[in-house]
Amino acid sequence: MSNAMIQQVIAFVIYLGVMIYVGIRWMNHNNSSEDFFLGGRNLGPWTTALSAEASDMSGWLLMGLPGVAYLGGLKEAFWTALGLEIGTYLNWLIVAKPLRKYSIACGNAITVPEFLTNRFRDRKHIISLFSTIFIVMFFVIYTASGFVACAKLLNTVFELPYICGLVIGMAVILLYTLLGGFSAVCTTDFIQGTLMFIVLILTIFAMMVAVGGPIDAVQKVQVFASRAMSGEFGSVMQEKFTGNQSYSVMSAVSALAWGLGYFGMPHILVRFMGIRSNKEIKLSRRIATSWVTIAFIGAVGIGSFATVYLDPLISATENESVILATIIQTYQPFIGGIFLCAILAAAMSTADSQLLVAASAFTEDFCQTLLNKKFDAKTTMMVSRTTVFVIAIIAFLISLDQNSSIFGLVSYAWAGFGATFGPLILLALFWRGATAKGAIGGIVAGGATVIIWHNLHGGIFNLYEILPGFLLCLAVAVIISLLDKNKDPEMLADFDTYKSIKD
């Protein structure tokens, strides 16, 4: 083992040790399911903001998005980032505060399915059933993307076998999630979000300086694009760069539609439910929006500038490793090792959140609500931790395919959540006339549309599945609610009470 690799190993061990310590530190603070799944609704504004964005971005921000930009998809990367930027701001602006207030008013709900069930007075718990099915299904896929990112990172940096990297990444994530619950996840996400932010800023700055400044960097990228379109760097590069020149309206709409996903992301929505005060949401929104803006600029810029910065070039088939090669080439081994942990952080910060939310859906909404199994605090914790472990194993099995695309896995899961829950969250918060039957119809319509659309190709089916899924969910929920006519006095009274709550 070389001296450089020894320094990188030390950096990784220190980082992973800190993550595990945080889990142990919070272990004794979980006395109830509200503590384990929502941190007792006691998150501060900085932790809420950075943990929400860190859990949101995942490995695709530091590996998937730079990889898209590196392959000539600058327009795709730009429109995707713009859609997510708008979605982030609107989610914090119009959803965060109302959701926190209404979730407390609705029986102190601690999960998204529980909130929807209580909001719509669904006494048969059909909403809980379908919500749990779709949450577990799509979170397994999403968690798999985080495991794949961990495996690819450890494989590239330490030349570990892919399977070995997969096992190490999963083991560490499982350990601190099982020990510390929501508070540990949010604390580690705060650390990870800060590290990701620092790495993106310093790396893009170092790259621009190395290639002669921002103006020279842009000019050199344009020259590289011309050479790529001529076929100088292979057929894959040629196809991607040429396609980027004729970026279609449908492609731009698909990229922008990513922003719709925010309204239905359970692992982000629970951050809104867990913040300790409505008054602190405004500060959290500013922090989150600033973090996202700078992070996107850094990720897209790194991918684009890497075409003229890296020597030798990364092959087109390994495009999602572009940031790994950039960091290794830029920094001294130990510092580079710490910064490489940012990619590990991106993957872990999402996977841990998704494991926790999926477990909460199964434990709280399926076992205790749907099956009417009333657990004591100790049993609840045991079932929750067992569920986290089982979901991680299923995600691990999906991750065994070394050719899995981080961006592709995230895209599918993101569409699933956005289309299944996004319209219902908005209707639940802002429309008095929404009914339980409408919500059930919307959940089924949105989730099924995403699954079917994702597996069809060509023509209109090249449109990102989140858009038709979101629109169909919204339409079905509204139409059924109008036909059903909300006459439930308790539901209407709950809505009026929630609206009367002062900030």
Side-chain angles (χ1 to χ4, degrees):
M1 184 180 291
S2 66
N3 180 59
M5 186 172 290
I6 291 173
Q7 293 185 56
Q8 290 170 343
V9 169
I10 293 173
F12 270 71
V13 169
I14 292 173
Y15 170 77
L16 296 177
V18 170
M19 297 301 101
I20 294 171
Y21 168 76
V22 171
I24 296 172
R25 174 69 177 78
W26 284 103
M27 183 169 58
N28 295 325
H29 292 260
N30 294 310
N31 300 314
S32 66
S33 58
E34 185 179 15
D35 290 335
F36 189 71
F37 291 130
L38 214 58
R41 296 186 191 269
N42 198 36
L43 291 184
W46 280 89
T47 302
T48 300
L50 291 187
S51 69
E53 299 317 314
S55 66
D56 162 21
M57 291 308 163
S58 76
W60 81 269
L61 173 66
L62 295 183
M63 295 183 75
L65 192 59
V68 170
Y70 180 78
L71 276 185
L74 193 56
K75 289 184 179 179
E76 179 181 357
F78 169 78
W79 287 109
T80 301
L82 180 61
L84 291 170
E85 174 83 16
I86 295 171
T88 296
Y89 180 77
L90 291 179
N91 204 27
W92 278 98
L93 181 66
I94 66 177
V95 173
K97 188 179 295 183
L99 180 60
R100 184 184 185 277
K101 291 196 299 183
Y102 211 170
S103 64
I104 294 174
C106 284
N108 199 32
I110 63 175
T111 70
V112 170
E114 184 182 10
F115 165 69
L116 293 174
T117 297
N118 294 350
R119 158 65 176 88
F120 292 112
R121 293 279 177 170
D122 178 23
R123 296 171 180 83
K124 295 182 179 179
H125 303 299
I126 299 175
I127 291 177
S128 288
L129 174 61
F130 284 112
S131 296
T132 301
I133 290 173
F134 284 118
I135 281 178
V136 172
M137 178 191 306
F138 289 121
F139 265 143
V140 165
I141 297 171
Y142 215 148
T143 302
S145 73
F147 289 171
V148 170
C150 290
K152 287 187 175 182
L153 169 64
L154 296 174
N155 174 256
T156 300
V157 177
F158 301 118
E159 299 180 357
L160 290 174
Y162 179 85
I163 299 298
C164 184
L166 203 59
V167 171
I168 292 174
M170 182 185 73
V172 174
I173 293 170
L174 267 178
L175 187 57
Y176 71 74
T177 302
L178 290 172
L179 290 174
F182 186 80
S183 296
V185 165
C186 288
T187 302
T188 54
D189 285 356
F190 174 83
I191 297 170
Q192 292 160 341
T194 303
L195 180 59
M196 291 160 62
F197 185 81
I198 293 171
V199 170
L200 288 168
I201 292 176
L202 293 183
T203 302
I204 189 66
F205 180 76
M207 293 175 76
M208 286 191 295
V209 170
V211 296
I215 297 177
D216 284 350
V218 172
Q219 292 175 343
K220 290 176 181 178
V221 168
Q222 291 173 341
V223 172
F224 181 90
S226 298
R227 295 170 64 191
M229 284 188 285
S230 70
E232 184 175 338
F233 304 110
S235 59
V236 175
M237 284 281 196
Q238 183 180 27
E239 180 183 350
K240 290 291 184 180
F241 275 84
T242 302
N244 188 48
Q245 299 306 306
S246 56
Y247 199 64
S248 67
V249 174
M250 182 184 292
S251 298
V253 170
S254 292
L256 280 172
W258 276 75
L260 293 174
Y262 278 102
F263 303 121
M265 292 296 134
H267 56 297
I268 297 174
L269 297 176
V270 293
R271 263 60 179 190
F272 300 159
M273 296 161 68
I275 194 169
R276 68 189 172 201
S277 169
N278 292 334
K279 296 179 181 179
E280 295 180 330
I281 289 177
K282 185 175 182 179
L283 175 58
S284 291
R285 182 177 72 241
R286 291 174 175 173
I287 297 168
T289 305
S290 300
W291 188 97
V292 166
T293 301
I294 296 173
F296 281 148
I297 292 173
V300 174
I302 287 171
S304 180
F305 293 153
T307 56
V308 295
Y309 177 78
L310 290 180
D311 184 24
L313 288 173
I314 295 295
S315 70
T317 57
E318 298 176 346
N319 63 301
E320 290 188 330
S321 297
V322 63
I323 194 169
L324 306 181
T326 300
I327 290 174
I328 291 172
Q329 181 171 310
T330 305
Y331 301 104
Q332 179 270 343
F334 181 76
I335 299 300
I338 293 292
F339 283 4
L340 285 169
C341 290
I343 294 96
L344 199 61
M348 287 182 168
S349 62
T350 300
D352 56 18
S353 300
Q354 292 154 353
L355 285 171
L356 204 59
V357 173
S360 69
F362 182 82
T363 305
E364 296 290 322
D365 305 307
F366 184 77
C367 293
Q368 300 208 69
T369 301
L370 192 63
L371 299 182
N372 198 28
K373 299 287 187 181
K374 299 304 178 184
F375 301 141
D376 58 28
K378 184 177 180 179
T379 304
T380 298
M381 298 299 296
M382 182 187 70
V383 173
S384 301
R385 285 171 169 147
T386 301
T387 305
V388 167
F389 182 79
V390 171
I391 291 172
I393 294 299
I394 298 173
F396 174 82
L397 296 176
I398 295 175
S399 309
L400 290 175
D401 180 7
Q402 298 188 36
N403 296 318
S404 297
S405 165
I406 298 169
F407 195 86
L409 290 169
V410 170
S411 173
Y412 187 18
W414 187 269
F417 287 123
T420 303
F421 298 107
L424 299 185
I425 291 294
L426 295 175
L427 291 175
L429 295 176
F430 301 108
W431 187 32
R432 192 171 184 264
T435 68
K437 292 180 180 178
I440 294 167
I443 288 175
V444 175
T449 299
V450 167
I451 294 171
I452 295 170
W453 200 280
H454 179 78
N455 290 286
L456 298 174
H457 306 282
I460 188 65
F461 296 111
N462 287 332
L463 183 69
Y464 184 25
E465 56 265 25
I466 193 173
L467 188 56
F470 190 97
L471 294 177
L472 192 59
C473 174
L474 181 63
V476 169
V478 169
I479 291 171
I480 294 179
S481 293
L482 289 173
L483 294 173
D484 190 31
K485 295 181 180 179
N486 192 350
K487 297 180 180 179
D488 187 324
E490 293 180 342
M491 190 192 308
L492 295 174
D494 287 344
F495 188 88
D496 293 337
T497 300
Y498 140 69
K499 280 296 186 180
S500 68
I501 298 175
K502 295 182 179 180
D503 296 339

